[in-house]
Amino acid sequence: MTESELQSDCSQCVGLCCVALSFDRSDRFGHDKVAGEPCYHLDAAFRCSIHARREALGYDGCEAFECLGAGQRATAVFATRNWRRDPAVARQLYGRFALLTKLQEMRQALMTAVDLELPGNLDGERLSLLERIIVLADGHDENIDSAAAAVLAQAKDFLRRLADVVSV
């Protein structure tokens, strides 16, 4: 398992962070944007039209966001479906992006836990949870919601238990 599994590849994404997410005007975002509406700086090729100037224009929050590869994974699952013309498909895509973001965040936490030098039984549990997350996050099955919810709940419980082990 490598850190490259957690890197976003915007060239393989349809700008999901610029469409699916909402943000409020602040010192990090130059305007309000509701979830599901494209940022008005997103061009027709799903690229940021102000990318080189975003910090100067008040969009450094965009640079701070990292989907950990959820965007390209969600885009790949919906590559053959017309999400731009079908609002129902778009909602499914945005939901998949949100779920994959959670899976990738948990994947990162479980990968990082290797540095804790866990006892064998806990490391085995960590690896088992990590493998289940990898299968869900890297697969193309559209129906992962219940399996993802289950493994995320188990992984959260595992991380809570780790806190007791680490603090000893």
Side-chain angles (χ1 to χ4, degrees):
M1 290 169 269
T2 65
E3 289 294 316
S4 65
E5 296 169 334
L6 300 172
Q7 292 178 345
S8 57
D9 181 354
C10 299
S11 71
Q12 299 299 310
C13 182
V14 292
L16 288 173
C17 60
C18 302
V19 180
L21 303 177
S22 66
F23 52 82
D24 295 323
R25 182 182 178 93
S26 67
D27 60 343
R28 299 193 59 131
F29 293 105
H31 70 279
D32 291 333
K33 192 193 90 53
V34 299
E37 293 294 323
C39 172
Y40 49 73
H41 297 296
L42 188 67
D43 68 21
F46 307 113
R47 302 293 165 251
C48 178
S49 64
I50 63 163
H51 186 78
R53 304 172 298 138
R54 68 186 179 277
E55 187 174 346
L57 295 172
Y59 290 87
D60 61 333
C62 298
E63 186 171 350
F65 178 77
E66 174 56 58
C67 76
L68 302 172
Q72 70 256 21
R73 286 173 171 81
T75 298
V77 172
F78 284 81
T80 61
R81 302 194 46 207
N82 193 342
W83 62 274
R84 293 184 83 181
R85 288 195 167 77
D86 187 338
V89 173
R91 283 189 300 277
Q92 291 171 353
L93 173 61
Y94 304 154
R96 180 60 170 247
F97 174 61
L99 182 58
L100 286 171
T101 299
K102 290 176 187 173
L103 286 169
Q104 288 295 92
E105 288 169 349
M106 188 58 74
R107 183 181 197 165
Q108 182 179 49
L110 292 171
M111 287 173 69
T112 302
V114 72
D115 296 335
L116 298 175
E117 298 180 21
L118 301 171
N121 62 326
L122 286 177
D123 197 49
E125 185 176 353
R126 178 189 71 84
L127 289 171
S128 175
L129 288 165
L130 186 55
E131 183 58 35
R132 289 172 55 204
I133 287 171
I134 289 168
V135 167
L136 291 169
D138 291 352
H140 289 268
D141 183 2
E142 287 187 34
N143 302 310
I144 66 167
D145 292 0
S146 61
V151 75
L152 286 168
Q154 291 167 356
K156 285 178 187 175
D157 179 63
F158 173 77
L159 292 177
R160 277 193 282 283
R161 287 187 286 120
L162 277 190
D164 295 335
V165 172
V166 173
S167 64
V168 172

